[in-house]
Amino acid sequence: MNKPKVIVTRHWPVEVEARLKELYDVQLNEADKIMTADELKHALQTADAVLTTVTDAITADVLSVENKRAKIIGQFGVGYNNIDIQAAKAHGLMVTNTPHVLTDCTADIAMLLLLMSARRASEGERLILNQQWTGWTPTQLLGQKVTGKTLGLIGFGRIAQAMAKKAHHGFDMKILFYVPPSSMPEQQSIDDLHATRCSSLEDLLADSDFVSLHCPAGVTTKHLINEASLKLMRPTAHLINTARGDVVDSQALINALKAGEIAGAGLDVYEGEPQLNPEFLTLNNVALLPHLGSATEETRTAMGKRVLANIAAFFAGHEPNDKVV
Ligand code: DGY
């Protein structure tokens, strides 16, 4: 029997690409060049499975291409806001994602950004890189103590809960959370975190020293953090975003950082990334990372294996574990 034809849109970890070569008639993208809309359409017409990721715009237009051969889109990533899910469903395409395996690494990056922002790490590193450090002083770059402070989580799915665990058990932080209407409900026991659910976003923003975003991007969460919500935060508070750029109105955040309405921000994701508002580069009170949430050898390999398991189940006639639609 012929092997199913599989097209992978970006370069993946070596171990997973090797396994794909063994199992499928696979077209890899070792040059790692982002595919155009036309190339994505062609992929849907010529492969049984197209393996996408967060940088592929799988729009309603792409999905509406005539004579599709593909029956499944195996997304490499837990987030899938790059795919028009309703259009995929309407065209009879199954979509899967890769939850669970990136939980800890993404929560680690959120914690890293929290610490960087609180302790002014980016500003300190710039002093050294720019050869401007003249030595220790009792008042240089005083940041804020993290241990014992209050962490407010917006969204309380797997990644938020993993961060809560690290923050509570590692840094003795008090945990608040708020679940926006479209977010994942909490799924684990939270008793040992002594976490308090806030009934409104406003309460969480007002009562937190650190606010960390863990909700999916979508119509209901677009610019959830905006001029008005930033004004509710404490002037000593920090905003951490490892979710998706669209959840934050970046111009409003820049204005708030400049005006000292909040103390700092730690960002891993951006509206319109990889472009980011150039004003971010002029600010000292922001820590910026290039979407590194799941970027470890172990996790990216595990994500690839999760996609492999999903399409293997599909081709064997079973429902994949991570079916989205
Ligand atoms: C995801 O899986 O959605 C992440 O953003 C990729 O790091």
Side-chain angles (χ1 to χ4, degrees), residues 63-313:
L63 291 162
S64 68
V65 66
E66 298 287 314
N67 302 322
K68 275 183 286 298
R69 170 169 165 183
K71 294 278 178 293
I72 180 166
I73 295 178
Q75 167 87 347
F76 180 98
V78 67
Y80 44 81
N81 60 313
N82 58 302
I83 303 173
D84 188 324
I85 290 295
Q86 290 319 318
K89 194 174 171 188
H91 288 290
L93 274 156
M94 186 181 287
V95 177
T96 58
N97 69 340
T98 60
H100 302 287
V101 288
L102 45 67
T103 301
D104 262 312
C105 283
T106 307
D108 288 351
I109 284 285
M111 205 60 218
L112 172 68
L113 283 167
L114 185 156
L115 290 164
M116 286 175 76
S117 193
R119 301 301 304 273
R120 302 172 67 175
S122 297
E123 204 177 341
E125 188 181 44
R126 265 194 297 277
L127 264 191
I128 293 194
L129 294 176
N130 295 334
Q131 302 185 5
Q132 289 166 337
W133 187 43
T134 50
W136 188 91
T137 84
T139 54
Q140 187 180 50
L141 289 181
L142 303 186
Q144 279 149 3
K145 183 172 176 178
V146 169
T147 298
K149 293 280 175 65
T150 298
L151 170 62
L153 299 154
I154 299 181
F156 206 55
R158 289 175 292 265
I159 298 171
Q161 289 178 41
M163 184 185 190
K165 251 184 225 161
K166 292 167 205 288
H168 182 66
H169 297 305
F171 294 88
D172 204 17
M173 294 181 86
K174 179 176 168 212
I175 308 297
L176 305 180
F177 69 96
Y178 167 74
V179 182
S182 69
S183 286
M184 253 187 265
E186 60 271 31
Q187 292 156 348
Q188 301 164 13
S189 160
I190 53 166
D191 295 351
D192 64 335
L193 298 175
H194 305 287
T196 305
R197 184 180 199 131
C198 294
S199 54
S200 73
L201 177 62
E202 290 72 20
D203 285 352
L204 179 129
L205 294 170
D207 294 345
S208 300
D209 298 304
F210 298 90
V211 173
S212 188
L213 302 176
H214 299 281
C215 49
V219 269
T220 55
T221 56
K222 184 165 168 79
H223 290 184
L224 186 71
I225 301 298
N226 52 36
E227 187 184 341
S229 42
L230 286 160
K231 284 197 195 309
L232 297 175
M233 289 175 64
R234 300 172 174 182
T236 49
H238 297 252
L239 178 73
I240 311 303
N241 190 7
T242 55
R244 284 293 183 263
D246 285 357
V247 180
V248 178
D249 176 342
S250 41
Q251 192 57 57
L253 174 60
I254 287 165
N255 296 344
L257 288 165
K258 276 184 168 168
E261 282 170 15
I262 65 170
L267 308 176
D268 190 41
V269 287
Y270 307 87
E271 282 190 289
E273 66 181 59
Q275 263 69 54
L276 57 158
N277 188 320
E279 279 190 81
F280 277 126
L281 310 183
T282 67
L283 299 176
N284 256 333
N285 51 350
V286 65
L288 305 169
L289 294 178
H291 203 148
L292 293 181
S294 59
T296 61
E297 296 277 356
E298 296 90 334
T299 291
R300 289 285 163 84
T301 300
M303 287 163 72
K305 288 184 177 168
R306 195 103 191 170
V307 181
L308 278 173
N310 286 326
I311 61 168

